[in-house]
Amino acid sequence: MIRGFRIRPSSHVGLAVHHERLVLVRLRQTKKQIIIEKVASTALPAGTIADGKVNHLSKLADAIKKLVAANDSEGLSATLALPASQVINKRIRVAACLNNAERAVEIATHLKDYLPDINEQVYFDFIPGKKSDDEVELQFIAARAEQVEQYVHLAEAAGLKIGVMEVDINAVVRGVQQLVDRDCSRTIMILDRDVTTAQLVLLKQGKPVANYPIILGADEVVIQQVKTGLQIFSATESSVFVEKLVLTGYQSSVDVFTQTLQSVLQITVEKPRLPQQIGVHSALNEMNVESVMPEIMTAFGLALRGFF
């Protein structure tokens, strides 16, 4: 007798490595929806990652392995992101006449000029920004090859199949687009705030066109910097009317912070919410998942990479 069998639906994992924790999100795509199947996080032992370096490799490896196993995700394809502090992010300019392949060659040729203090192999990527007749501004993103390969090795040793290594803010942008601006028609800002770092990102027609680093401190200090960032965006970007500010990452006293920001900036400030095209597995509590969307946005955006 031939037994029937069921093919497991295709799922994709996003694994975000933060300084103090790991976050895993697993998604599955159906004909009508993307389903959130798993949401999990685990705290890293103190000092595992500090000052942009992994100090306790075995502890990190053990934490990743336990998180993947506990969420039945061994053998699945995955996208991984480095902690923000381990990524070099700067703006450079190249000739406007170059295509993307030629831009990559230009950057590789002049890598020492962009990274004068680094004498080791790096992986890099770039995102085109403002363009003039003569030049185009690129958001240049780089990471040490040794660090990238280290994280990939740990994730694969835990049973994941790493297809893409991505920068965390790109994942955040993808997640926000899916939840807030699917048609890429709005001009919005993202305040992505972690325990050690924060940044303000301007999205115009679905593309990040400017970013502004935020120095963490008391909420009132952060709010003043956000106000300054908005003023800079308005002064440097043509035809900018920011419709809303979306909060992602770690947010302390989020309701009070949201209300104060909204009052100071005089624009809508909100946390990401789950739209109809995103479903939640029956084993999960939808309200609980929605409440943690800001904190899991990086991992969510990484998991989306499997379908977009």
Side-chain angles (χ1 to χ4, degrees):
M1 183 178 72
I2 299 176
R3 291 188 177 183
F5 64 93
R6 186 176 66 180
I7 299 175
R8 184 180 185 180
S10 177
S11 299
H12 193 79
V13 172
L15 179 63
V17 182
H18 301 282
H19 262 84
E20 77 296 343
R21 71 193 192 284
L22 303 173
V23 180
L24 181 147
V25 172
R26 195 175 91 195
L27 303 179
R28 174 171 54 87
Q29 189 172 39
T30 68
K31 290 182 178 180
K32 295 182 178 180
Q33 285 185 313
I34 290 176
I35 306 297
I36 301 176
E37 292 186 310
K38 298 283 185 178
V39 173
S41 66
T42 185
L44 291 173
T48 300
I49 301 175
D51 300 323
K53 296 181 179 179
V54 178
N55 294 325
H56 302 288
L57 192 62
S58 61
K59 291 181 180 179
L60 180 59
D62 187 55
I64 293 174
K65 189 171 184 178
K66 287 181 178 178
L67 184 64
V68 171
N71 289 278
D72 190 29
S73 296
E74 299 101 322
L76 294 180
S77 62
T79 303
L80 178 66
L82 287 173
S85 62
Q86 297 185 11
V87 177
I88 302 159
N89 205 323
K90 62 195 304 184
R91 293 194 174 275
I92 62 175
R93 293 180 180 275
V94 298
C97 61
L98 302 178
N99 60 35
N100 277 344
E102 291 167 336
R103 289 168 184 168
V105 173
E106 175 74 7
I107 292 171
T109 302
H110 298 281
L111 204 56
K112 189 64 179 176
D113 297 328
Y114 302 131
L115 304 172
D117 299 325
I118 296 181
N119 297 312
E120 56 204 274
Q121 183 184 356
V122 299
Y123 293 123
F124 68 84
D125 199 355
F126 57 87
I127 302 171
K130 290 190 299 182
K131 188 175 183 180
S132 66
D133 291 340
D134 300 322
E135 292 182 316
V136 61
E137 185 177 77
L138 304 178
Q139 183 180 350
F140 171 65
I141 305 152
R144 289 175 170 83
E146 182 181 3
Q147 290 177 327
V148 172
E149 292 164 2
Q150 186 178 67
Y151 280 98
V152 170
H153 174 74
L154 293 179
E156 290 184 340
L160 295 176
K161 298 176 181 178
I162 303 299
V164 179
M165 189 82 176
E166 191 168 52
V167 179
D168 58 353
I169 193 59
N170 291 351
V172 170
V173 167
R174 184 181 302 109
V176 168
Q177 286 174 339
Q178 187 64 212
L179 299 182
V180 179
D181 187 30
R182 289 194 76 199
D183 59 1
C184 298
S185 61
R186 301 177 181 179
T187 299
I188 62 177
M189 290 195 309
I190 301 171
L191 175 59
D192 187 55
R193 185 179 182 187
D194 212 329
V195 173
T196 58
T197 58
Q199 59 184 317
L200 195 63
V201 181
L202 179 67
L203 292 186
K204 194 174 180 181
Q205 295 181 334
K207 296 181 180 180
V209 296
N211 69 320
Y212 181 74
I214 302 292
I215 299 173
L216 290 179
D219 281 353
E220 57 268 24
V221 175
V222 173
I223 289 170
Q224 183 55 48
Q225 291 179 82
V226 172
K227 183 179 179 180
T228 300
L230 176 57
Q231 292 170 343
I232 291 173
F233 290 162
S234 299
T236 57
E237 299 291 332
S238 60
S239 304
V240 167
F241 174 71
V242 177
E243 298 179 47
K244 65 173 60 180
L245 172 64
V246 180
L247 303 178
T248 63
Y250 172 78
Q251 307 291 339
S252 61
S253 306
V254 68
D255 292 332
V256 175
F257 184 71
T258 300
Q259 293 168 8
T260 307
L261 257 180
Q262 192 159 278
S263 175
V264 170
L265 300 180
Q266 292 297 297
I267 61 173
T268 300
V269 179
E270 65 181 36
K271 297 186 296 180
R273 298 185 181 278
L274 294 173
Q276 285 188 336
Q277 71 270 14
I278 305 294
V280 176
H281 193 278
S282 59
L284 302 178
N285 182 295
E286 185 170 340
M287 290 183 63
N288 289 345
V289 171
E290 187 166 84
S291 71
V292 299
M293 283 309 298
E295 289 87 351
I296 68 170
M297 187 57 65
T298 301
F300 176 72
L302 291 170
L304 284 172
R305 183 65 185 263
F307 312 111
F308 296 97

